[in-house]
Amino acid sequence: DYSHGLLGYIIRLIEPDHIKRFMDLVQFASGDRRDDNEYQLALVGTFGVGKTTIFKRLAKAGNPTAAAARRGSGDPMLCKLQYKIGAETITMIVRDTDGIDKFKTMSSSFYQGIDGAAFVFSREEKSSLRDIKTKWLLEARNAGPNSYMKFLVGNKDDLQEQNVFDLEIQSMVLDGFDGKYTVSAKQGPEQDGRVEEAFRAIAEKLHRQRHP
């Protein structure tokens, strides 16, 4: 009986909201799903390419979970998005590093249970694209599941004068990626909706992969 004694006292001290946040993370990392139409996507890339800005745009359009608030320094952020695909409603849970990547590497739990990864680079920083090839793909391959879908997302597409390496981008798309998207997380009438459209397309590809 856990209702008495020291253990019961400790359990009563734990706030329900903390338990909910912990269970959200456990569910994501373990790959457990509530139904067959739930997909988990990780945002991966070099610190500063705009992943968190993209995440915030998506969170505005969707429903941030209880785990989306800032927690400890090592915890990621999650947001839950829902899309209507044909006659079905699907859910895509997006995970953001929340600055973990500025410490050069991430724990293997970040990749566990993912159905896909969006590798984000900045179209004004060629080095961020090369980091995907030399670091992030290798890290995800070593820590992630045996099979998952890979998407290449070029951010800061509003800086047209910086888009000088399209051939290298194209060669990467032909080399094992399941899709390429260019977005701008910048606010403005010309950019609004582009992030949301790209990630809806990613969600649809994840769904078609599982349900051809």
Side-chain angles (χ1 to χ4, degrees):
D1 183 359
Y2 297 123
S3 61
H4 301 286
L6 179 60
L7 181 58
Y9 175 75
I10 294 173
I11 291 174
R12 288 192 295 274
L13 287 178
I14 300 176
E15 297 180 12
D17 186 52
H18 293 169
I19 297 174
K20 173 65 166 59
R21 293 177 181 178
F22 175 76
M23 293 307 296
D24 283 337
L25 292 173
V26 169
Q27 181 185 1
F28 191 102
S30 67
D32 291 340
R33 299 183 178 87
R34 294 175 182 173
D35 59 59
D36 197 40
N37 287 336
E38 185 173 289
Y39 305 89
Q40 302 182 38
L41 179 79
L43 295 180
V44 184
T46 301
F47 180 72
V49 297
K51 297 186 305 298
T52 297
T53 306
I54 289 173
F55 177 88
K56 289 178 179 177
R57 290 292 299 266
L58 293 171
K60 276 187 178 181
N63 300 307
T65 67
R70 180 176 293 276
R71 299 171 308 280
S73 60
D75 292 336
M77 296 175 73
L78 311 175
C79 79
K80 183 179 293 186
L81 307 170
Q82 289 191 325
Y83 302 99
K84 189 78 171 178
I85 306 295
E88 297 180 294
T89 299
I90 70 169
T91 299
M92 183 168 72
I93 299 174
V94 180
R95 169 172 283 204
D96 177 43
T97 60
D98 194 22
I100 299 172
D101 46 324
K102 69 183 175 183
F103 301 109
K104 306 299 183 184
T105 188
M106 294 181 289
S107 74
S108 60
S109 63
F110 181 79
Y111 297 99
Q112 290 175 6
I114 61 172
D115 300 291
F119 293 88
V120 182
F121 68 96
S122 168
R123 289 179 65 89
E124 65 173 342
E125 297 175 23
K126 194 169 185 176
S127 61
S128 66
L129 179 66
R130 291 175 176 165
D131 284 346
I132 291 175
K133 297 171 68 174
T134 60
K135 175 187 175 181
W136 298 111
L137 281 169
L138 296 176
E139 183 173 284
R141 183 182 306 155
N142 292 333
N146 293 329
S147 177
Y148 65 95
M149 299 187 76
K150 299 186 290 293
F151 306 97
L152 192 62
V153 178
N155 190 27
K156 305 185 182 180
D157 195 46
D158 53 288
L159 303 175
Q160 296 295 334
E161 68 278 7
Q162 303 289 348
N163 298 341
V164 294
F165 48 102
D166 286 325
L167 289 178
E168 187 168 351
I169 295 170
Q170 186 63 29
S171 69
M172 286 186 65
V173 173
L174 296 174
D175 190 23
F177 280 86
D178 296 289
K180 180 199 81 168
Y181 307 90
T182 55
V183 303
S184 174
K186 181 180 177 181
Q187 298 284 351
E190 294 183 1
Q191 312 302 335
D192 286 349
R194 295 183 60 192
V195 169
E196 293 82 357
E197 289 172 6
F199 280 80
R200 178 186 174 85
I202 288 174
E204 186 165 357
K205 285 198 172 186
L206 291 171
H207 187 61
R208 301 302 181 201
Q209 172 75 6
R210 189 182 295 174
H211 302 283

